[in-house]
Amino acid sequence: MGRSAGMFESLKGGGAAIALDEIEISILRSLAVQLLELIGPGAPEPAADADPLAALFAEGPSEPPSDPALARLFPDAYGAPDGAGDAGVDPEELAARSAEFRRFTENDLRTRKREDALAVVRSLDALSPGGDGAAVLELTGEEPLRWLGALNDLRLTIAARLEITEDDESALLFRLPDDDPRKPMVMAYLWLGGLQETLIETL
């Protein structure tokens, strides 16, 4: 049975599948590789004789990233004083809480995001396009969740680069002239949103 182009569908027994052509495979792989480069190499591997408890409590950065895209991928854990649950809290106290939370969680979060992006690259590399240049990608086990994480991170990154929010994402595409250099990236952003939505529906 054929797959609907550009949409994930449920697999019998669990999982999801999607038909991708060579261009779509190339775009997705390129975006995932760029995401890996943005996230960076992560924490160094501990030495063989390293204390496992010390590695578990290794400290990460305490300051938010200066790159707007990384700041969206690794936001502060505590929002502005007028945010839900933060009313009446001193801004300096919120900043201190965020720094402390970031110090002990960002390394693990960065590792998870790298693993999600790597899962996308590896599953695309394992595809064998047919004579028409199309291939069916099947995601099973934890792969759908890895893809969901990576798709979300890609959309956050592109949104930061385009300086758009969810409220204006659709209108932005129709406002842009065809020769606007941002249009391909906006189209990629909306396409990734469609992939994410249909993948969620399969789970």
Side-chain angles (χ1 to χ4, degrees):
M1 182 177 68
R3 299 280 172 188
S4 300
M7 296 180 63
F8 278 101
E9 298 178 6
S10 298
L11 280 174
K12 287 184 179 179
I18 186 173
L20 298 168
D21 63 30
E22 286 183 304
I23 294 176
E24 291 168 331
I25 294 169
S26 176
I27 291 172
L28 279 170
R29 191 185 188 286
S30 175
L31 289 173
V33 169
Q34 291 178 59
L35 179 61
L36 284 168
E37 292 171 350
L38 175 67
I39 294 170
E45 288 291 327
D49 58 350
D51 180 355
L53 282 179
L56 181 64
F57 293 103
E59 294 187 9
S62 59
E63 295 296 322
S66 58
D67 185 311
L70 285 174
R72 286 220 191 171
L73 293 177
F74 304 102
D76 278 333
Y78 299 93
D82 60 352
D86 294 329
V89 181
D90 182 73
E92 291 186 4
E93 174 66 18
L94 284 177
R97 290 183 190 176
S98 289
E100 188 74 2
F101 188 83
R102 183 181 297 277
R103 185 159 40 243
F104 292 106
T105 61
E106 185 167 311
N107 283 346
D108 285 344
L109 184 58
R110 193 173 290 265
T111 296
R112 195 192 78 209
K113 289 180 181 297
R114 282 188 54 79
E115 290 174 350
D116 289 347
L118 278 170
V120 170
V121 173
R122 288 169 179 156
S123 55
L124 291 173
D125 285 347
L127 286 179
S128 299
D132 59 355
V136 174
L137 171 70
E138 295 188 352
L139 304 178
T140 57
E142 67 174 16
E143 289 177 326
L145 292 178
R146 292 286 188 196
W147 267 73
L148 269 181
L151 289 172
N152 187 61
D153 288 343
L154 285 171
R155 295 187 80 237
L156 287 173
T157 300
I158 294 173
R161 294 290 185 243
L162 293 170
E163 298 181 345
I164 60 174
T165 65
E166 290 186 4
D167 293 335
D168 61 13
E169 63 182 31
S170 296
L172 178 62
L173 176 61
F174 297 108
R175 288 200 308 266
L176 292 177
D178 290 339
D179 59 353
D180 191 300
R182 296 172 295 167
K183 189 145 191 176
M185 194 57 72
V186 173
M187 294 180 70
Y189 175 80
L190 297 175
W191 175 53
L192 292 170
L195 294 180
Q196 186 178 19
E197 183 178 346
T198 57
L199 181 53
I200 290 173
E201 290 172 355
T202 69
L203 299 181

